[in-house]
Amino acid sequence: MVIPRVVIAGTSSGAGKTTVACGLIGALRRRGSSVQGFKVGPDYIDPSYHALASGRPGRNLDAFLGGTELIAPLARHGAAGADVAIVEGVMGMFDGASGRGELASTAQVAKLLRAPVLLVIDGASMARSAAAIAHGYRTFDPDVDVAGVIFNRVGSDHHEELLRDALEPLGIPVLGALRRDDRIEAPERHLGLVPVAEREDRTRAALDALAGAAERSIDLDEVLRLGRAAPPLDGPAWNPAVEEPVAGARVAIARGPAFSFHYEENLELLRAAGAELAPFDPLRDEELPADAGALILAGGFPEVFGAELSANAALRAQIEAFAAAGRPVLAECGGLLYLCSELDGREMCGVVPARASMGGRLSLGYREAVARTATPWLAAGERVRGHEFHYSRVEPADGGERAAWTLSARGRDRAEGFVAGAVQASYLHVHWAAHPNVALGFARAAARATEPTVA
């Protein structure tokens, strides 16, 4: 399969990878190309920017969550019908899951995709030193094809000239230099960028400015030439289809500004399993979708909308009754906070016997997970890989003997999450591409929940 593709890597977090990736996506789309954006790692927010810039779903390529063997198949699947793929990296180019090896790093994914890399260097406050950085990144791993550099936050024409002159003796092409511009700086908070769902109109304006800056400042023809020179990505595409999809599965799924964290492949797996997805917005809708057999409350930022969520007492009561009736409920991270009795002192759904609050130490990292307690869609003892990223805490911290998971990281195990009846609520985010049985099991549980009871 021929997929023109380039990887946008950075020297570190904050170098400007998202700025460059979104600018390229928007500029190439203006030229008439269909562009597929990918994000290396477990991030939900950057893919939402890619999606708005490209008009196609944003997607992730994570060698820890999905395994190295799924990187190329997921790329083939996601890029089907696109003219070019722009793959935004994670952290610094060589930073991986453990901080030691290359697993799940941008460099590893670039090698698995056999893709050229464009290195983003924050040019602010430097000139000739940029050459040392570019030389080090290009030679650190000879198997990574660092094909060019794009500078970010360049101050002036003279500054750009100094940076270009510094790299000329190395023979490393400079494909562009983006100037400092407050109009194209995306707002951030405690978990990174503010999601698109919270400020779509303003984000569109920023992305439009970014596309214009990329058109003026980046050699788009050379980017495309490099992408088209990548070798064919042979092999099958990932496929969410199952042999026997279920009938009658209708799943209510929280969307909107407060619950925007969804992996596109998870949704595709649910649909392929036969589930009809019925979206609703807990900030506005006072009722769950009619005839839903199961409920998904994904991650997001419920803490930002605590007052509005608490004020929607009618929906909170419906969700509490839905769970009490034994209907399957799956809640991840933000969904867990919403199901607690309160969040920062504001009344929530009361499904999980715990109080949630913001603050404290950041919990961040990949997790090996074993299901401690069976649910209607997952047997005890099943293993998955997931990711945890939050500043909040819940008290009590888990359900004791009814905890959802045993999580392992850096040689330590701990119980986490809650299972009560058909409810599983946890901080763990799971990408289901490597665990399609989770989606199929959930669809089956949703269908069973709506079957008529025989007297």
Side-chain angles (χ1 to χ4, degrees), residues 74-377:
L74 283 170
R76 295 184 199 102
H77 170 77
D83 299 312
V84 61
I86 302 295
V87 182
E88 179 189 342
V90 61
M91 299 185 291
M93 183 162 67
F94 299 104
D95 300 320
S98 69
R100 293 183 173 87
E102 74 169 5
L103 177 61
S105 67
T106 304
Q108 185 189 39
V109 170
K111 289 189 286 187
L112 291 168
L113 294 176
R114 303 170 69 193
V117 174
L118 301 181
L119 180 66
V120 178
I121 298 178
D122 185 347
S125 303
M126 74 167 68
R128 187 166 180 256
S129 296
I133 293 172
H135 174 72
Y137 274 81
R138 195 182 206 190
T139 59
F140 183 79
D141 183 345
D143 292 329
V144 178
D145 177 18
V146 179
V149 164
I150 296 176
F151 288 107
N152 187 37
R153 299 191 183 100
V154 176
S156 65
D157 288 346
H158 178 60
H159 187 199
E160 179 178 341
E161 182 181 352
L162 292 173
L163 292 168
R164 287 181 178 272
D165 287 349
L167 264 65
E168 187 173 1
L170 302 179
I172 302 176
V174 176
L175 272 66
L178 292 173
R179 299 300 170 87
R180 286 193 291 264
D181 187 342
D182 292 339
R183 295 175 304 161
I184 60 177
E185 292 293 328
E188 298 189 22
R189 59 164 173 252
H190 53 281
L191 296 185
L193 298 180
V194 175
V196 165
E198 295 184 29
R199 56 190 309 276
E200 185 169 325
D201 289 343
R202 293 170 63 190
T203 303
R204 284 187 186 277
L207 290 174
D208 187 60
L210 258 179
E215 282 185 312
R216 294 187 300 272
S217 306
I218 297 177
D219 187 343
L220 300 179
D221 290 331
E222 182 63 10
V223 171
L224 286 175
R225 188 194 70 77
L226 289 170
R228 289 166 179 159
L233 201 58
D234 296 327
W238 178 80
N239 189 345
V242 298
E243 290 185 3
E244 297 183 12
V246 301
R250 182 170 163 83
V251 177
I253 184 164
R255 304 301 297 259
F259 300 98
S260 60
F261 291 1
H262 296 275
Y263 291 126
E264 186 66 23
E265 290 81 7
N266 290 17
L267 305 181
E268 290 174 337
L269 281 163
L270 284 169
R271 295 188 190 102
E276 176 193 355
L277 303 185
F280 70 102
D281 184 349
L283 296 180
R284 299 184 305 173
D285 297 324
E286 296 185 351
E287 296 182 349
L288 289 171
D291 302 322
L295 169 63
I296 292 178
L297 296 166
F301 290 99
E303 66 273 17
V304 176
F305 302 96
E308 295 93 326
L309 292 171
S310 184
N312 193 349
L315 182 65
R316 290 192 291 104
Q318 274 212 0
I319 291 174
E320 184 178 19
F322 190 93
R327 299 289 175 96
V329 179
L330 172 59
E332 289 186 347
C333 202
L336 162 65
L337 304 185
Y338 185 46
L339 289 185
C340 286
S341 59
E342 63 179 58
L343 171 57
D344 286 336
R346 293 189 174 96
E347 191 173 2
M348 294 289 130
C349 295
V351 173
V352 170
R355 295 179 300 278
S357 59
M358 297 301 299
R361 193 175 68 177
L362 172 65
S363 294
L364 168 66
Y366 289 111
R367 309 288 185 249
E368 301 275 359
V370 179
R372 289 173 64 101
T373 308
T375 66
W377 63 91

Side-chain angles (χ1 to χ4, degrees), residues 400-426:
E401 293 302 314
R402 300 289 291 172
W405 305 102
T406 298
L407 300 184
S408 300
R410 294 181 291 277
R412 296 182 180 180
D413 293 348
R414 61 184 171 88
E416 195 274 327
F418 300 81
V419 172
V423 176
Q424 183 191 78
S426 163

